[in-house]
Amino acid sequence: MSQNPLSQALHLLQEEKVVVFPTETVYGLGANATDDQAVAQIYAVKNRPQFNPLIVHYPTIEAMEPDVILSPLARTLARHFWPGPLTLVLPWRSKGSRISDLVRAGGDTLAVRIPRHPLALELLNKCPFPLAAPSANRSGFLSPTTAAHVRDDLGDSIPLILEGGDCTVGLESTILDLSGETPLLLRAGSITESDLAPFMTDLFAEENKIREGSPHKILKAPGQLESHYAPCHPIRLEAITASPEEGFITFGPPPSHKASHVYHLSLRGNLIEAAAHFFKALHWLDEKKIERIAVMPIPYEGIGMAINDRLRRAAADRPS
Ligand code: TXA
Ligand code: MG
């Protein structure tokens, strides 16, 4: 096998193996999206419920033309936001597309994106097929934003992790469904509703708007299980202080508290910085001997919507 990690990755992918690669959002567990055997390995490694479809990653818009139908709106958004942390759910081209049925979980839409991380782009540009890739964590566990997170969670079950440093965005991509009559925001992310609004006159129907306090009502991606980003410890939201048995995640100037382990998401109260550190904070506190994780309130604005969405899921009881 060749020495350089990128060539190794390409070799493994061609052999129907899975490879972990960095993206600007979170690390992805990639496999050949046109090969059932390869995609089946993703589900096996993640222990993922079969009904949950996967995002397919491409190097260019041209490369996705055989697989999805891009409306004029989809093309405008694609040109503006790609490469970047936006996933579009589009009608799948049943004729001519080689994408595995497993990727779509049998459905007639396909979720696609072009990631921005240079290593991901290099891999995709050199790869003769697109890569299906969910976040590289066991199903139901925290998304990884460093290669070390992946090693801790998936350990020996994957042959190669391409090391690409810390993910700069730190939260999974925004998912916008353009397959129906009205655009639907399925998952909040760093590209926010107000970033998307200028491109759509009929943006989101009133009943689909994310409302303060109830963002979960509209999040309908099949994989958006209630408890999804669960750390080991229970979570206490909207905490204004913390006790000695708690780990404490703060935002903005920290209040006085008695917590033994504290992670400052952003001392200056910057939501983008907080998002980039969010999963790291949960991973770090997961390793501590504490009873609970207390989290200060995060404003419901901009990418704060996405952080609150992940927090609410992390705090939900896990399905048994
Ligand atoms: O930032 C990201 O999107 C990362 C990186 C690796 O690209 N990927 C990621 O994948 O977060 P995953 O599998 O952890 O989350 C994908 C979400 C799931 O909730 C899934 O149900 C939804 O996207 N999804 C995938 N295909 C879909 C489709 N055709 N229609 C609706 N939702 C879909
Ligand atoms: Mg995931």
Side-chain angles (χ1 to χ4, degrees), residues 177-190:
D177 185 350
L178 295 180
S179 67
E181 271 179 26
T182 322
L184 271 181
L185 190 59
L186 299 184
R187 181 169 73 186
S190 68

Side-chain angles (χ1 to χ4, degrees), residues 21-29 46 48 51-57 85-90 103-104 107-113 115 133-137 143 171-175 177 179 186-187 220-225 228-229:
F21 65 97
T23 83
E24 75 280 25
T25 58
V26 299
Y27 275 73
L29 177 63
K46 279 190 70 89
R48 186 175 217 188
F51 51 78
N52 197 354
L54 303 169
I55 298 172
V56 182
H57 299 68
L86 177 68
T87 294
L88 296 179
V89 173
L90 300 174
V103 167
R104 292 174 291 105
D108 53 9
T109 60
L110 190 65
V112 294
R113 92 176 181 100
S135 50
N137 52 280
S143 288
L171 287 183
E172 304 87 347
S173 59
T174 303
I175 304 182
D177 185 350
S179 67
L186 299 184
R187 181 169 73 186
K220 296 193 276 216
Q224 300 289 76
L225 302 176
H228 199 94
Y229 300 91

Side-chain angles (χ1 to χ4, degrees), residues 44-168:
V45 170
K46 279 190 70 89
N47 205 4
R48 186 175 217 188
Q50 291 282 333
F51 51 78
N52 197 354
L54 303 169
I55 298 172
V56 182
H57 299 68
Y58 294 85
T60 59
I61 298 175
E62 293 69 50
M64 59 180 74
E65 302 273 7
D67 300 322
V68 284
I69 299 167
L70 287 121
S71 64
L73 172 60
R75 281 180 202 280
T76 305
L77 293 173
R79 276 194 294 269
H80 194 268
F81 292 105
W82 285 342
L86 177 68
T87 294
L88 296 179
V89 173
L90 300 174
W92 172 63
R93 269 188 211 282
S94 53
K95 285 207 183 92
S97 169
R98 294 183 304 142
I99 298 298
S100 152
D101 281 347
L102 266 185
V103 167
R104 292 174 291 105
D108 53 9
T109 60
L110 190 65
V112 294
R113 92 176 181 100
I114 304 178
R116 191 169 63 201
H117 194 292
L119 197 51
L121 279 175
E122 200 179 346
L123 178 68
L124 289 164
N125 269 306
K126 293 198 166 135
C127 206
F129 39 76
L131 296 179
S135 50
N137 52 280
R138 274 174 298 154
S139 199
F141 287 78
L142 298 172
S143 288
T145 58
T146 67
H149 291 161
V150 182
R151 274 192 292 275
D152 289 349
D153 189 15
L154 297 177
D156 301 332
S157 56
I158 28 171
L160 180 71
I161 301 172
L162 281 179
E163 169 70 68
D166 290 11
C167 301
T168 51

Side-chain angles (χ1 to χ4, degrees), residues 192-205:
T192 63
E193 197 176 316
S194 27
D195 295 329
L196 296 168
F199 298 90
M200 290 173 249
T201 43
D202 61 340
L203 183 57
F204 308 105

